[in-house]
């Protein structure tokens, strides 16, 4: 089943990219199209998991389960709102304290960081189920070593190349644009 999860996560990465780009292009409202693409990709993967696993989902809603869900969910929602509030305050302070040029540099750095973290998060999402599968067979952490070190070395080399390229290209690009 771990292979099924891993394949689903890999398919979700690819399908969401394809569906988001395709539907965002096709819809008059591009944001709505991108959201429809995410929905379509997630539904496709859930459908794949349901079909490939042969598992029959039993939907059962009881008052106890609803209460348990609210007891867990409400604090998480409150923490999310507090996090968004602090992030918004942080952005307003940064906006107030930095000049236009420095704010532009800051935004370019934030955007670059977001793109680079997406790369590593995608690799982690695909490899994590396989690592759990290898670990769970013998309960031996060394069993997952190849899945940890191989991609880590590859991503490290890739990130080194990308960051070096950004450091070389970005300053002249900013200066002349």
């Amino acid at each position: 089943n771990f292979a099924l999860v891993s394949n689903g996560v890999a398919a979700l990465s690819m399908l969401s990219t394809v569906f988001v780009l395709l539907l965002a292009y096709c819809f008059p409202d591009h944001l709505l199209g991108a959201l429809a693409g995410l929905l379509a990709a997630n539904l496709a993967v859930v459908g794949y998991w349901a079909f490939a696993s042969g598992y029959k989902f039993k939907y059962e809603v009881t008052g106890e389960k609803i209460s348990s869900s609210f007891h867990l969910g409400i604090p998480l929602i409150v923490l999310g709102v507090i996090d968004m509030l602090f992030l918004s305050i942080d952005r307003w302070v940064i906006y107030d304290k930095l000049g236009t040029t420095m704010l532009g540099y800051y935004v370019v750095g934030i955007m670059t960081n977001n793109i680079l973290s997406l790369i590593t998060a995608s690799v982690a999402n695909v490899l994590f189920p396989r690592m759990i599968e290898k670990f769970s067979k013998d309960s031996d952490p060394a069993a997952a070593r190849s899945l940890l070190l191989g991609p880590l070395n590859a991503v490290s080399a890739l990130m080194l190349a990308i960051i070096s390229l950004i450091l070389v290209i970005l300053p002249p690009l900013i200066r002349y644009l």
Side-chain angles (χ1 to χ4, degrees):
N1 286 345
F2 286 110
L4 185 65
V5 171
S6 185
N7 291 339
V9 170
L12 181 63
S13 296
M14 291 182 280
L15 287 175
S16 62
T17 301
V18 170
F19 285 154
V20 164
L21 292 175
L22 181 66
L23 293 178
Y25 179 75
C26 293
F27 273 58
D29 182 2
H30 300 305
L31 179 60
L32 187 61
L35 292 174
L38 284 175
L39 177 66
N42 281 291
L43 288 176
V45 170
V46 168
Y48 162 72
W49 282 335
F51 179 74
S53 69
Y55 182 77
K56 302 296 180 210
F57 294 100
K58 181 181 171 188
Y59 297 103
E60 183 179 321
V61 178
T62 63
E64 181 183 328
K65 288 184 179 182
I66 292 172
S67 174
S68 172
S69 296
F70 275 113
H71 285 352
L72 177 67
I74 289 175
L76 291 175
I77 290 170
V78 169
L79 285 174
V81 169
I82 290 171
D83 181 54
M84 287 183 346
L85 181 67
F86 280 132
L87 188 60
S88 295
I89 291 171
D90 183 48
R91 287 181 178 165
W92 281 107
V93 169
I94 289 169
Y95 173 75
D96 187 49
K97 298 296 179 191
L98 295 178
T100 307
T101 304
M102 293 308 291
L103 185 62
Y105 291 146
Y106 176 78
V107 169
V108 168
I110 292 294
M111 289 177 7
T112 304
N113 180 49
N114 290 342
I115 290 170
L116 293 177
S117 63
L118 253 174
I119 294 169
T120 56
S122 297
V123 172
N125 286 338
V126 171
L127 289 179
F128 184 70
R130 294 191 192 274
M131 291 176 70
I132 296 296
E133 178 184 20
K134 284 199 172 200
F135 173 73
S136 67
K137 286 182 183 174
D138 302 324
S139 295
D140 180 22
R145 183 180 176 95
S146 65
L147 282 175
L148 178 66
L149 294 180
L152 183 63
N153 289 337
V155 168
S156 297
L158 178 66
M159 296 301 280
L160 178 66
I162 290 172
I163 291 171
S164 299
L165 187 64
I166 288 171
L167 286 174
V168 169
I169 291 176
L170 199 56
L173 186 66
I174 290 172
R175 193 171 301 128
Y176 296 112
L177 290 180

